Amino acid sequence: MDTGFIGKKSSAAGGWGALKSCGKQLLKSGTPLSGARTLLKANQPDGFDCPGCAWGDPAHGSSFEFCENGVKAVAWESTEKRATPELFAANTVTELRKLTDYELERHGRLTHPMRYDAATDKYVAVDWADAFAEIGSILKGLDSPDRAEFYTSGRASNEAAYLYQLFVRLYGTNNFPDCSNMCHEASGVGLRQSIGVGKGTVLLEDFEEADAIFVIGQNPGTNHPRMLGDLRRAAIRGAKIVVFNPIRERGLERFTDPQDKLEMLRGGATDIASDYLQPRLGGDMAAVRGMAKVVFAAEDAAIAAGLPSVLDHAFLAEHSFGLAEYRAAVDATDWAQIEDQSGLSRQQIESAAQIYMRADRVICTWAMGVTQHVHSVVTIREISNFMLLRGNIGKPGAGLCPVRGHSNVQGDRTVGINEKPPVAFLDALEKHFGVAMPRHEGHNVLAAIGAMLDGSSEVFIGLGGNFARATPDSPIVEQAMRRMKLTVNIATKPNHSHLMPGAVSYVLPCLGRTEMDINAAGVSQLISVEDSMSMVHGSAGINRPASPLLMSEVAIVAGIAEATVGNGVVNWSDLAQDNDRIRDHIEATIPGFENYNVRLRKARGFHLRNAAAHREWNTTNGKATFSTVALPAETVHQRASKGGGNFALQTFRSHDQYNTTVYGLDDRYRGVYGERQVIFIHPADLEAMNAAAGDRIDVVTESTDGIDRVAENFRFVPYDIPRGSIAGYYPELNVLVPLGSAGDESDTPTSKSVMVSFRKRQAA
Ligand SMILES: Nc1nc2c(c(=O)[nH]1)N[C@H]1C(S)=C(S)[C@@H](COP(=O)(O)OP(=O)(O)OC[C@H]3O[C@@H](n4cnc5c(=O)[nH]c(N)nc54)[C@H](O)[C@@H]3O)O[C@H]1N2
Ligand SMILES: Nc1nc2c(c(=O)[nH]1)N[C@H]1C(S)=C(S)[C@@H](COP(=O)(O)OP(=O)(O)OC[C@H]3O[C@@H](n4cnc5c(=O)[nH]c(N)nc54)[C@H](O)[C@@H]3O)O[C@H]1N2
Ligand SMILES: [Mo]
């Protein structure tokens, strides 16, 4: 079998490999010099916010924080390559559809607003004004505003997102499907129930004081590389880092900090994880409950021996609700169930719990490995339960830290991209603008797809993103998009969602973060974003726009808004001329933005106050609230392990992609080169199937709805992963994720637990 695509894993994350990869990336982008100059302004007080991820910036943001992810994201945007009208004249949409995500985006930046011409099956350049007029007239012609979907991807600035939600609400709907629905929705839902605020409670500084950091279901080496710097400093100080991840991820094992000249020169590396536990997919709630069981047992033993309590009774008495019920639920959970569901031994769980109990200050971070399961919300609440036991919320060096994905996904929510808007927010909008706002709940991602499929939605507008490829059941969603009366995509580069035109379809090219946004009066415009630590800061690009025809997202939203709802309530072109005016409206309608325009211009921006971090609990009972539910009756993993050739599949990111944007075909931290159609699997599982590394197979989803879901022509990579759990890359595997499978209470597609089996490929 051909196994040439399987090679050596990097010995540590970061280091020279990361530098080399950056060099390559800058060369590929075609602008090594301006690329390098651009990088020096990433995450600097006078520069732009890196579009790479939502990790916080250090207080001492003086030197450029080197980050491979950031380099790639910046180089991707500041490329000299252009997807011009000539490209679209030379290729029909049908032809372009044959390209992979990788090939398509390699054409570079979009330069002209374009309209789809069904007669020739080609996109043709048009005038901005004509585009706005036609979009406005179709929107105005719908029977109901609820027949349109307004998607947001988490790169949109606070200003663009706020303007967008204002326009859409004045138009009359709360249909705001949002990438967050596929991402950290469960964190928001779970945390609001537990601690009264749907955001993390820590600041970056807390990582300097924590005695232990639990990293659950997250791969920062690839997805939040700057976080590794903070973990490394913590490890060097002697803080314990406990990882829960079914896969051994390189970045969590060892990291060479490119910032550290000595470590680079000596070829050294720092061990990150002190303890690396490999649970089965979806086994985290059981693992955390197991640790809570150990804590309660230790508490009983301490009391019996007349030793100090393990629990923080003062905190629990003053701040929490439901401890006794939680204790009863933990007592009722037996070790056999915990061990089977988590895939971890009691001994492993006990040693992790010991670290927790020995630490005065604990931070717990998590990402998609926790949020993209059926029972994610209760898992997050269990994490919160566990942290409450020793008062680890609302004190320095401790707290809950869901690490967000897109660089402004948290800010977009804050400024109103929400299909279930809080009543207080709608009240504030009504009071400030003097008009009624729609009060009925709108569509999230899955509801939007449902409405697009059954014909009750006729328009799709995307403020960034790649809806058709990021969502589950991509072939079905693509068909749904083609049935629309109107599709509009506001984007920087061409992607597959643009190639699924409705009857009328526009691709509208916008400025990216790295580009200067100059208004008619010649004044450079600042945008703002909020990171995972609720820091809001400014961002201004430094590059010349990729094309003179590009408009800012703010201006595009204003153009569509003016053509649709008119200037009766606000004057859209006035707002589009000056982002300060938009920020004045944000300040007037959303708490925490006092003196926005001034504070934004301070070096690190400002922090949005998090009540839970101050031990104020905006929950229904005014306390931090324990959840008391039983473990799930059965996880996908447990069901798969009953045999029948079934496996639990997770779909994750390679080291060379940004969501649906594929930068390259290598995943050097996992030792895979030049290939993305792979399945990571335990060697013993291969042996049991009489299969070997490199064997070609089709992957088939267990069907409960009569639909055949097959991912064709994948190859096996033996890997250090629990038996019965397998993994492969998104978006290629989105054909296998069923629309019908969603997280309880979060309605998030279950991208990390799909029940699949294998089919040998028929010889061609
Ligand atoms: N370079 C780069 N950076 C990015 C992105 C990107 O695509 N590329 N995407 C951005 C976005 S939008 C997001 S949301 C974040 C995503 O950041 P991550 O959440 O790190 O993204 P994934 O690649 O999905 O990795 C999920 C991790 O969880 C583990 N995991 C899966 N299932 C389980 C489970 O049941 N239990 C446990 N304990 N672990 C599990 C996987 O093995 C994997 O290590 O990154 C952001 N940053
Ligand atoms: N199977 C599976 N599916 C998943 C996931 C998974 O782990 N597994 N993860 C989910 C997660 S966490 C997320 S966040 C979603 C991501 O879903 P999306 O946010 O919809 O997807 P992206 O791939 O980030 O969007 C990339 C496109 O955004 C456009 N773009 C880039 N920069 C800009 C900009 O500055 N402005 C504008 N207007 N457009 C820009 C470009 O045209 C590019 O092609 O996918 C989800 N889908
Ligand atoms: Mo995400």
Side-chain angles (χ1 to χ4, degrees):
M1 262 304 142
D2 167 24
T3 55
F5 64 100
I6 305 177
K8 253 182 68 178
K9 284 211 262 180
S10 308
S11 59
W16 294 106
L19 277 189
K20 206 167 99 189
S21 162
C22 289
K24 268 199 208 160
Q25 212 63 38
L26 288 174
L27 284 174
K28 256 202 310 198
S29 81
T31 55
L33 273 182
S34 79
R37 192 176 69 93
T38 311
L39 282 167
L40 292 172
K41 288 288 181 195
N43 290 340
Q44 295 309 305
D46 61 340
F48 58 89
D49 179 69
C50 177
C53 76
W55 189 248
D57 304 326
H60 41 80
S62 52
S63 67
F64 166 59
E65 253 211 315
F66 172 87
C67 165
E68 182 183 354
N69 180 1
V71 171
K72 288 175 174 173
V74 167
W76 176 87
E77 189 175 290
S78 54
T79 176
E80 300 254 287
K81 299 207 178 103
R82 298 289 178 265
T84 59
E86 287 74 51
L87 168 75
F88 293 93
N91 297 280
T92 62
V93 164
T94 309
E95 280 159 358
L96 290 171
R97 230 180 265 140
K98 291 182 194 137
L99 302 180
T100 60
D101 301 275
Y102 175 58
E103 293 161 337
L104 196 56
E105 291 204 12
R106 277 215 308 183
H107 283 291
R109 294 288 301 277
L110 294 159
T111 57
H112 288 64
M114 289 182 305
R115 184 184 189 278
Y116 179 65
D117 175 38
T120 56
D121 187 32
K122 287 179 177 174
Y123 272 106
V124 185
V126 289
D127 281 343
W128 279 106
D130 294 342
F132 293 150
E134 185 174 28
I135 293 166
S137 104
I138 294 177
L139 281 172
K140 282 190 284 191
L142 296 186
D143 288 344
S144 152
D146 291 329
R147 297 176 74 81
E149 306 296 342
F150 297 88
Y151 179 65
T152 314
S153 168
R155 274 202 197 177
S157 63
N158 282 354
E159 294 74 15
Y162 184 82
L163 216 57
Y164 191 53
Q165 66 79 30
L166 180 62
F167 150 54
V168 172
R169 294 201 160 101
L170 290 178
Y171 175 62
T173 182
N174 286 310
N175 283 352
F176 288 109
D178 164 19
C179 73
S180 188
N181 299 141
M182 301 182 269
C183 188
H184 264 293
E185 190 71 56
S187 304
V189 173
L191 290 178
R192 267 192 301 279
Q193 294 170 357
S194 288
I195 60 169
V197 48
K199 300 182 185 184
T201 65
V202 303
L203 290 170
L204 203 51
E205 290 85 323
D206 290 314
F207 282 80
E208 292 166 16
E209 292 182 52
D211 304 313
I213 302 168
F214 283 63
V215 180
I216 309 186
Q218 193 198 347
N219 182 23
T222 287
N223 298 313
H224 307 91
R226 288 182 300 122
M227 177 177 172
L228 283 191
D230 294 288
L231 291 180
R232 174 179 172 274
R233 280 186 288 277
I236 290 172
R237 272 194 298 110
K240 297 284 182 208
I241 295 174
V242 183
V243 170
F244 287 80
N245 198 310
I247 283 214
R248 287 200 80 90
E249 301 283 26
R250 202 27 127 204
L252 289 166
E253 297 178 313
R254 289 164 67 70
F255 176 55
T256 305
D257 193 344
Q259 240 80 246
D260 185 324
K261 293 188 192 73
L262 263 187
E263 196 169 72
M264 291 288 279
L265 283 174
R266 289 188 185 139
T270 305
D271 287 339
I272 299 294
S274 51
D275 289 67
Y276 205 118
L277 292 92
Q278 293 177 271
R280 291 173 171 161
L281 287 179
D284 301 281
M285 182 178 178
V288 176
R289 180 148 301 185
M291 290 194 289
K293 214 171 161 68
V294 179
V295 173
F296 283 125
E299 167 72 3
D300 292 349
I303 303 282
L307 295 169
S309 262
V310 176
L311 303 185
D312 184 342
H313 284 292
F315 170 84
L316 289 166
E318 188 182 345
H319 292 289
S320 80
F321 176 86
L323 175 65
E325 291 78 2
Y326 176 55
R327 163 104 210 214
V330 172
D331 288 345
T333 315
D334 62 41
W335 276 107
Q337 195 187 6
I338 289 170
E339 288 188 310
D340 187 55
Q341 199 157 95
S342 69
L344 300 171
S345 69
R346 178 169 174 174
Q347 199 193 354
Q348 284 176 303
I349 293 173
E350 277 171 350
S351 77
Q354 289 301 333
I355 294 176
Y356 175 77
M357 289 187 288
R358 279 197 293 265
D360 283 335
R361 291 165 294 233
V362 180
I363 290 176
C364 184
T365 80
W366 68 90
M368 298 302 101
V370 171
T371 62
Q372 295 178 333
H373 288 287
V374 177
H375 49 274
S376 297
V377 170
V378 287
T379 301
I380 287 153
R381 294 201 62 186
E382 190 73 19
I383 291 172
S384 174
N385 289 344
F386 178 59
M387 294 287 278
L388 289 173
L389 293 178
R390 287 175 48 80
N392 274 308
I393 300 177
K395 68 180 180 191
L400 297 165
C401 181
V403 184
R404 304 280 161 176
H406 268 302
S407 48
N408 197 37
V409 62
Q410 186 160 317
D412 290 347
R413 253 305 147 80
T414 303
V415 301
I417 302 299
N418 193 340
E419 78 281 0
K420 296 191 212 77
V423 172
F425 174 60
L426 295 179
D427 290 346
L429 287 179
E430 290 190 351
K431 193 160 163 252
H432 180 68
F433 292 105
V435 278
M437 294 288 154
R439 295 275 170 170
H440 55 290
E441 191 175 305
H443 293 156
N444 64 8
V445 162
L446 290 183
I449 293 170
M452 288 163 71
L453 281 170
D454 72 19
S456 53
S457 267
E458 301 173 284
V459 171
F460 172 88
I461 297 189
L463 180 57
N466 188 356
F467 191 76
R469 300 285 289 174
T471 45
D473 266 330
S474 13
I476 297 176
V477 177
E478 288 173 357
Q479 288 319 307
M481 285 188 86
R482 302 223 52 192
R483 280 194 230 152
M484 298 289 96
K485 216 177 228 174
L486 170 69
T487 52
V488 179
N489 282 286
I490 300 165
T492 47
K493 282 199 185 175
N495 66 44
H496 274 276
S497 297
H498 311 161
L499 304 179
M500 298 297 154
V504 176
S505 177
Y506 284 97
V507 174
L508 304 179
C510 65
L511 295 170
R513 286 269 172 87
T514 57
E515 287 159 325
M516 289 183 278
D517 175 7
I518 313 275
N519 72 6
V523 181
S524 168
Q525 294 299 300
L526 201 64
I527 57 149
S528 57
V529 297
E530 174 185 342
D531 67 27
S532 289
M533 283 87 193
S534 305
M535 292 295 299
V536 178
H537 50 88
S539 170
I542 58 158
N543 286 344
R544 275 229 319 272
S547 144
L549 288 175
L550 299 189
M551 284 175 68
S552 68
E553 291 178 334
V554 161
I556 296 172
V557 170
I560 298 175
E562 185 171 353
T564 310
V565 299
N567 288 321
V569 177
V570 292
N571 185 305
W572 297 99
S573 48
D574 265 11
L575 286 178
Q577 275 308 307
D578 186 355
N579 288 352
D580 279 4
R581 293 181 197 148
I582 302 174
R583 284 187 284 268
D584 285 340
H585 287 301
I586 297 178
E587 178 174 337
T589 47
I590 303 174
F593 286 92
E594 296 74 23
N595 220 359
Y596 194 178
N597 278 312
V598 173
R599 286 196 295 158
L600 179 66
R601 290 175 167 90
K602 300 238 160 84
R604 266 181 106 197
F606 60 95
H607 184 244
L608 285 177
R609 189 171 185 277
N610 179 306
H614 298 268
R615 300 192 165 172
E616 294 157 22
W617 317 101
N618 296 323
T619 53
T620 41
N621 54 40
K623 301 273 184 195
T625 305
F626 282 96
S627 84
T628 55
V629 297
L631 292 186
E634 195 176 48
T635 60
V636 166
H637 192 284
Q638 285 176 305
R639 208 149 54 78
S641 66
K642 288 181 177 154
N646 289 320
F647 291 85
L649 166 75
Q650 64 147 320
T651 57
F652 60 10
R653 292 152 175 81
S654 85
H655 193 61
D656 233 355
Q657 73 181 84
Y658 196 94
N659 297 340
T660 67
T661 292
V662 178
Y663 299 129
L665 305 178
D666 297 342
D667 191 357
R668 67 175 199 284
Y669 290 176
R670 299 193 185 109
V672 173
Y673 297 89
E675 176 66 282
R676 286 183 53 91
Q677 310 222 140
V678 295
I679 294 291
F680 297 92
I681 184 167
H682 193 288
D685 281 336
L686 280 183
E687 209 174 313
M689 289 188 293
N690 258 328
D695 278 2
R696 288 181 188 277
I697 35 96
D698 293 342
V699 192
V700 187
T701 302
E702 171 196 50
S703 184
T704 51
D705 56 7
I707 299 176
D708 247 4
R709 295 179 176 85
V710 187
E712 288 186 42
N713 201 12
F714 279 65
R715 292 195 277 177
F716 285 129
V717 179
Y719 215 78
D720 188 349
I721 186 172
R723 286 200 68 177
S725 290
I726 60 170
Y729 302 131
Y730 132 80
E732 286 82 350
L733 288 169
N734 263 352
V735 295
L736 297 179
V737 185
L739 279 168
S741 171
D744 295 337
E745 299 178 83
S746 64
D747 217 19
T748 297
T750 55
S751 308
K752 297 287 192 276
S753 50
V754 186
M755 177 96 131
V756 299
S757 59
F758 301 120
R759 209 148 64 192
K760 238 193 152 79
R761 268 189 83 73
Q762 310 301 324

